Amino acid sequence: MDFHTLVHTTRSCRRFFQDPRIETDFLKSLVNLSRMTASAANLQPLKYILSSDPDTNAKIFNCLGWAGYLKDWPGPVFDERPTGYIVILGDQNIAKYFDMDVGIVAQTIMLGAYHNNFGGCMIANFRHQQLTDALEIADHYRILLVLALGTPKESIVIEPIGSDGNFKYFRDEQDVHHVPKRSLDDIIVRIY
Ligand SMILES: Cc1cc2nc3c(=O)[nH]c(=O)nc-3n(C[C@H](O)[C@H](O)[C@H](O)COP(=O)(O)O)c2cc1C
């Protein structure tokens, strides 16, 4: 897959086939990829918890919030749930701010997943204390983002934001997920 196609294909997917499942070695390869990304002051303060274990996956899933704009959809049903997770932690013994690093790492991991015919969704809407307790996470770590991963089971199309200015994703009658994106002209403020 060429890079342009990879970036376009790397959409937030929230429903998954249960086969093939995410394996631990693949999760490790994604984190290994993330090690190579840029890091502010090269502090590399991000740490990771990996799960492809069904029981642990269930504990993580119970802490997550899905697709806020899809008001009638509570999240994926049992047999469409992610088969693996990467929980991104900030090690507060190393740094106090993680915001830039976490985005760079998260997108790199997602590109790596899609490059290998997997996919997923970044989840920032999670119950922090419940997840901390469920995974017995030590005090000096802050949970920053959860990456829910699996084999994509969604049709997703990108479309331009129309004259109504609607940026909210939606699903149509055919269950296709639509993601409005701003046009290039709308986001370039000035060219010299
Ligand atoms: C930092 C971040 C946090 C997000 N948190 C959630 C979340 O909690 N739940 C969810 O369903 N989607 C979440 N998303 C996915 C966004 O809704 C998604 O990126 C957006 O709808 C655009 O779709 P696209 O990723 O396919 O371009 C998050 C995305 C980002 C970048």
Side-chain angles (χ1 to χ4, degrees):
M1 194 187 307
D2 68 82
F3 187 67
H4 182 271
T5 306
L6 177 61
V7 172
H8 275 246
T9 310
T10 302
R11 305 267 55 83
S12 293
C13 175
R14 301 176 178 86
R15 290 175 290 182
F16 303 92
F17 293 109
Q18 301 302 294
D19 183 36
R21 296 181 64 82
I22 293 272
E23 304 287 349
T24 301
D25 281 350
F26 181 62
L27 293 175
K28 285 175 77 172
S29 76
L30 292 176
V31 172
N32 201 27
L33 197 61
S34 81
R35 282 195 314 119
M36 294 301 126
T37 57
S39 171
N42 207 26
L43 287 174
Q44 304 163 69
L46 303 186
K47 306 283 174 76
Y48 305 86
I49 292 174
L50 318 183
S51 175
S52 57
D53 165 60
D55 291 341
T56 309
N57 285 354
K59 288 182 190 170
I60 296 172
F61 178 83
N62 286 337
C63 301
L64 306 180
W66 294 88
Y69 293 145
L70 305 181
K71 295 296 177 200
D72 298 330
W73 188 68
V77 294
F78 184 75
D79 60 0
E80 292 184 336
R81 290 185 181 164
T83 56
Y85 291 93
I86 296 176
V87 180
I88 307 179
L89 309 172
D91 187 336
Q92 299 176 105
N93 288 340
I94 299 177
K96 286 196 168 46
Y97 307 105
F98 311 101
D99 288 355
M100 303 292 181
D101 281 23
V102 71
I104 293 165
V105 152
Q107 182 67 1
T108 302
I109 288 175
M110 283 301 172
L111 289 167
Y114 276 96
H115 188 60
N116 289 279
N117 298 319
F118 288 103
C121 187
M122 302 175 199
I123 306 273
N125 177 16
F126 56 83
R127 287 181 286 281
H128 193 277
Q129 192 57 52
Q130 187 184 336
L131 189 54
T132 300
D133 294 344
L135 298 179
E136 299 177 0
I137 294 171
D139 287 347
H140 65 287
Y141 291 126
R142 185 148 67 83
I143 307 173
L144 305 173
L145 198 62
V146 178
L147 307 182
L149 299 159
T151 301
K153 193 187 177 183
E154 290 200 68
S155 299
I156 304 176
V157 294
I158 295 175
E159 57 186 48
I161 289 186
S163 50
D164 61 358
N166 178 39
F167 53 82
K168 296 183 180 177
Y169 51 80
F170 61 94
R171 282 189 198 149
D172 65 21
E173 303 74 39
Q174 279 73 46
D175 213 23
V176 174
H177 184 84
H178 295 253
V179 186
K181 292 290 184 192
R182 297 188 201 284
S183 72
L184 184 60
D185 283 345
D186 274 352
I187 62 172
I188 296 180
V189 175
R190 199 172 296 152
I191 299 177
Y192 293 103

